[in-house]
Each structure stands twice: as C-alpha cells, then as structure tokens.
C-alpha cells in the first residue's frame, strides 16, 4: 500500500491522463489531470492477486460466480454499513451510470420529469436527457459554503409530471454526507410527490472522520416500495474500468420489473468485474480502504490549506469523496478567466462547474485522489497562476 508511489499513467489509454490534452488543452507532458474521478493508486493487493490468479489460470470463459459476488456484497453492507440485505436483491450492471440508466428505462417513461438536487454529478443529467426524460433541477442552497436542501421551495416547483428523483449520497461534488434528518426529508419529499427514489451511494465508503453515511433504507423502511439503491466497487477500490455496478432492490414488485427489463435486454454481469468485486468486498479490502482514507484525509487537508491560502479561492469542506469543489467567485474574475488561468497557466485539468448544473457556474472540481507530491505541485501551480491576488 504505497500511496506515494508516483505511477506514470501516461500512454496507457487512461481517460484522465491521455484525454487531458484533447479535451482541456492541458499538455500531456507537464500537465496535471485533476478531473476524471478515478485515483492514481494501484487497486488493493487482494484485487491484484485475484486478477493474477485469473490470468495464471488462463481461463476467461463463461463463469457462474453470482453467489460469491452477492455474498461478498451482503457481507460488506452488513459489516461496513449496518445494512442487512438478501443476496437475491442484487443485480449487476455495466457500472453505476448504466444502473441509473436502467432505472430510468425501467421505471419512468419518455417525457417524465426526473428531479436532481443541483449541482450534482454530471452524468445524471446526460442519462436523463439521452433517455428522452426531462431534467428537473432543484438547486441546493449554498449555506455558508455547505449545501443544504430547501424542500419548501422544491414542493412549489413540482408540476406533477415528475416520476423519479436521483439522489447522490454522499454528495458529488459538494462532499456532503447527508444527515438522518436530511435523508428523511428526501424520503418524505418522494412520498409527497409520488417519486421513485434512485439513491446513488457510490461514494458511501469514502467518508472522513466525524461523519457517518446512512444507507437510505435505514432511514425510513416505509419507502422500500419506491427505493432503488445503487453502489459499486468503482470508487472505493479504484476499479472503475471493470464497469461493475450493484443495483439493490428490496421491494418484490420493483425488483420483478427490473429483472424483466434486464432479461429483455439479455443483460448479465461481467464475470471478471464480479470476481474483482467479490475479492475487494472482504476483510483485506476493508483494511486497504481504511489506509486509503487516512491518506486521502491528509491530501484533503493539504489541498484545503493550500486553497485557503490563495485569496479569492474557497474550497467546500468535504465530509466525503476525493473531489474538492472550489469556488472562484471571490476572485472577481469571470468564468472564462479563472478557467483560463487554471488550464493554461497552472496547466491543471479540473472539471468545469457548469457541467454539474445550476449553482456550479463559479466552481471547478479538483480530484485529489493522487500522490501527495502531486497535491503539493498543484498548490504551487495555483498559487503562481493567481499570484496577483496575493
Ligand atoms: C455519483 C456517481 N455515480 C456514478 C459514478 C460513475 O460510476 P461508474 O463508473 O460505476 O459508472 C460516479 C463517478 O464519478 C459518481 O460520482
């Protein structure tokens, strides 16, 4: 577990490293990619060992490993999140965005409104629009650099054409770990407006000390008949390339509809991704995540301290995730200018806040899931790019 090892990911078909130049104009040589939400760390040793066993054996044929995979998820949910599930509730999708898209396809109809609390992970809106549904933005309140929900305002915005809500819990990009009261508010809102609740909890393991993630079913069991839970090993163990998402549905009627849609499309899991997930959701995987979180916490503090030192820049205090949401409104610059400085002067690729929906206009999102030396480098670059504000 050497998180400090400066692994060179260039020219490996890495989206984060090898697409930074074509997309952001940040040079492959000397640029620093802080956009795509994967980490620059090797996967846990227990995962790499399993991959090695598979390649040593040399057989990549049909596999029947559902039981191993679902038992591992069941164990993880119980030991790490206090949530008891039945293995029969679990479906495997091609990553979690695919899980979201499958929910939209199964449970909503073209033209339906799908509610998002914005700003929020950009792929949700893309999936909603691509499916011919309508994005219904409910902007969050930025209360003293912390996102909160305003249900009274959202109640007034509902038109009756909304049929689902996608919740990001914990929240990307604001890093909030929603409290029990806030989650109860979401559950009540869904009941009031008869919405299916698609709860994307992919960041559930990446929570910092002092905060506890609560799985949605533990908040209010009475919403099980309108709840679909989504998790994945992608973020927790840095295995997004294996495209394995877990869709968990406790309610019999919802589960039957989802199963029918999966069957109609002949969708089944990628067995290598499922082998990897099974190895990762284990005591050894848990030990790795604990060590990872200590390291990420160090990065978070270093990055936040560096940003706080640059007049005009402000990062949102993160309770979860390795994605820092930085507000540039205090610079007095327009979006084009602060973005130009980050990309062309600091030579850093960071996600544009506009892609996360209303409320993201003056923000950039920086991924600090990388070696600490690169965080120090990032801060030095940003300080120089905004030196005239010192
Ligand atoms: C909230 C959320 N859901 C889903 C994903 C992507 O999941 P996957 O790669 O398994 O499709 C991300 C990636 O950043 C995310 O932040």
């Amino acid at each position: 577990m050497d998180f400090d090892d400066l692994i060179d990911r260039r020219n490996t078909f890495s989206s984060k490293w090898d697409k930074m130049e074509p997309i952001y104009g940040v040079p492959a040589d000397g640029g620093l990619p802080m956009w795509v939400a994967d980490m620059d760390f090797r996967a846990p040793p227990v995962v790499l060992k399993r991959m090695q066993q598979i390649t040593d054996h040399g057989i990549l044929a049909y596999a029947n490993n559902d039981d191993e995979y679902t038992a591992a998820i069941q164990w993880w949910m119980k030991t790490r999140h206090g949530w008891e599930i039945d293995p029969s509730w679990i479906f495997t999708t091609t990553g979690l965005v695919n899980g979201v898209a499958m929910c939209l396809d199964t449970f909503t109809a073209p033209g339906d409104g799908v509610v998002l609390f914005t700003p929020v992970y950009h792929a949700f809106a893309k999936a909603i629009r691509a499916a011919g549904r309508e994005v219904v933005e409910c902007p969050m309140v930025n209360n003293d650099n912390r996102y909160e929900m305003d249900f009274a305002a959202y109640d007034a915005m509902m038109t009756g054409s909304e049929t689902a809500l996608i919740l990001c819990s914990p929240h990307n990009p604001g890093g909030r770990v929603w409290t029990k009261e806030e989650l109860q508010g979401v559950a009540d809102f869904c009941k009031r407006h008869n919405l299916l609740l698609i709860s994307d909890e992919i960041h559930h393991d990446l929570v910092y000390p002092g905060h506890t993630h609560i799985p949605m079913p533990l908040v209010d069991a009475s919403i099980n008949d309108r709840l679909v839970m989504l998790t994945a090993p992608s973020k927790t163990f840095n295995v997004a390339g294996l495209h394995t998402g877990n869709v968990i549905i406790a309610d019999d009627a919802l589960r039957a509809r989802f199963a029918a849609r999966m069957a109609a499309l002949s969708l089944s899991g990628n067995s290598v991704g499922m082998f990897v997930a099974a190895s990762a959701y284990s005591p050894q995987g848990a030990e790795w995540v604990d060590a990872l979180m200590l390291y990420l916490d160090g990065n978070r503090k270093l990055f936040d301290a560096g940003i706080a030192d640059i007049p005009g820049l402000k990062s949102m205090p993160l309770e979860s995730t390795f994605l820092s949401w930085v507000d540039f409104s205090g610079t007095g610059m327009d979006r084009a200018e602060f973005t130009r400085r980050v990309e062309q002067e600091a030579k850093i690729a960071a996600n544009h806040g506009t892609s996360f929906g209303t409320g993201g206009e003056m923000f950039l999102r920086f991924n600090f899931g990388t070696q600490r030396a690169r965080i120090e480098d990032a801060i030095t670059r940003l300080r120089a790019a905004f030196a005239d504000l010192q």
Side-chain angles (χ1 to χ4, degrees):
M1 298 189 211
D2 183 3
F3 296 114
D4 281 320
D5 189 6
L6 284 169
I7 301 165
D8 188 354
R9 295 182 61 191
R10 286 170 304 171
N11 304 314
T12 62
F13 299 102
S14 153
S15 305
K16 186 183 183 182
W17 286 82
D18 294 332
K19 285 285 180 191
M20 141 174 89
E21 186 154 358
I23 293 181
Y24 288 93
V26 172
D29 264 333
L32 205 49
M34 299 183 83
W35 60 303
V36 176
D38 65 25
M39 300 183 281
D40 294 326
F41 308 130
R42 286 189 186 86
V46 68
V47 164
L48 299 179
K49 193 169 151 207
R50 188 68 187 257
M51 294 288 280
Q52 191 64 53
Q53 279 166 353
I54 294 168
T55 51
D56 286 352
H57 190 221
I59 302 293
L60 292 164
Y62 293 119
N64 194 338
N65 54 340
D66 291 37
D67 289 349
E68 183 200 34
Y69 162 77
T70 54
I73 295 172
Q74 184 187 32
W75 178 84
W76 189 264
M77 289 304 170
K78 185 172 176 196
T79 56
R80 302 289 287 192
H81 298 285
W83 182 33
E84 304 256 10
I85 61 172
D86 190 283
S88 68
W89 298 354
I90 304 169
F91 298 88
T92 315
T93 53
T94 310
L96 216 54
V97 176
N98 175 239
V100 170
M102 280 295 299
C103 288
L104 296 174
D105 186 64
T106 306
F107 301 115
T108 69
D112 282 5
V114 180
V115 177
L116 297 179
F117 299 133
T118 62
V120 73
Y121 176 48
H122 41 73
F124 292 160
K126 265 194 222 153
I128 294 168
R129 292 193 181 108
R133 277 66 167 166
E134 300 287 326
V135 174
V136 178
E137 288 199 341
C138 287
M140 287 185 292
V141 178
N142 184 344
N143 188 1
D144 199 16
N145 211 18
R146 174 184 157 96
Y147 283 130
E148 291 173 1
M149 296 155 188
D150 180 354
F151 293 108
Y154 307 154
D155 280 340
M157 292 167 65
M158 294 298 105
T159 64
S161 65
E162 302 79 11
T163 56
L165 180 153
I166 307 176
L167 176 72
C168 192
S169 173
H171 186 71
N172 166 16
R176 282 295 318 279
V177 175
W178 305 115
T179 63
K180 190 157 189 187
E181 291 68 34
E182 287 169 317
L183 292 171
Q184 186 64 60
V186 176
D188 293 342
F189 179 74
C190 288
K191 283 195 223 170
R192 273 200 302 285
H193 299 285
N194 195 22
L195 305 176
L196 176 83
L197 175 50
I198 302 168
S199 191
D200 179 332
E201 306 197 5
I202 197 168
H203 296 282
H204 64 164
D205 293 310
L206 306 175
V207 172
Y208 294 108
H211 303 279
T212 305
H213 168 76
I214 310 172
M216 199 68 202
L218 297 187
V219 173
D220 183 350
S222 77
I223 57 155
N224 264 350
D225 61 351
R226 58 173 73 252
L227 176 64
V228 177
M229 288 280 295
L230 304 176
T231 70
S234 331
K235 305 288 151 192
T236 308
F237 304 105
N238 202 29
V239 294
L242 287 161
H243 283 284
T244 299
N246 320 315
V247 174
I248 308 177
I249 309 179
D251 181 72
D252 293 342
L254 289 180
R255 199 166 62 246
R257 287 172 69 189
F258 197 84
R261 201 69 197 121
M262 292 282 286
L265 297 171
S266 288
L267 288 176
S268 58
N270 166 345
S271 56
V272 175
M274 289 162 72
F275 279 129
V276 161
S279 68
Y281 290 132
S282 65
Q284 298 94 316
E287 205 183 310
W288 185 86
V289 176
D290 291 341
L292 169 76
M293 287 316 293
L294 280 177
Y295 192 86
L296 288 179
D297 199 20
N299 281 6
R300 171 179 74 137
K301 288 175 178 148
L302 184 66
F303 190 73
D304 279 351
I307 293 293
D309 236 21
I310 304 172
L313 272 59
K314 190 163 71 171
S315 59
M316 209 167 252
L318 288 186
E319 300 165 359
S320 171
T321 81
F322 47 82
L323 307 164
S324 182
W325 188 234
V326 180
D327 184 353
F328 285 78
S329 55
T331 58
M333 296 170 195
D334 64 14
R335 190 162 65 238
E337 175 59 8
F338 69 72
T339 306
R340 185 195 67 77
R341 288 188 185 211
V342 170
E343 292 171 0
Q344 293 177 29
E345 292 186 25
K347 298 194 174 16
I348 293 177
N351 291 85
H352 294 187
T354 42
S355 65
F356 296 79
T358 299
E361 297 78 3
M362 296 307 281
F363 288 80
L364 295 177
R365 193 192 71 175
F366 293 80
N367 173 351
F368 59 76
T370 190
Q371 288 70 31
R372 198 150 299 156
R374 291 191 168 124
I375 303 299
E376 279 159 7
D377 184 17
I379 291 299
T380 306
R381 291 168 186 233
L382 289 170
R383 201 176 283 132
F386 293 91
D388 52 333
L389 302 180
Q390 307 284 326

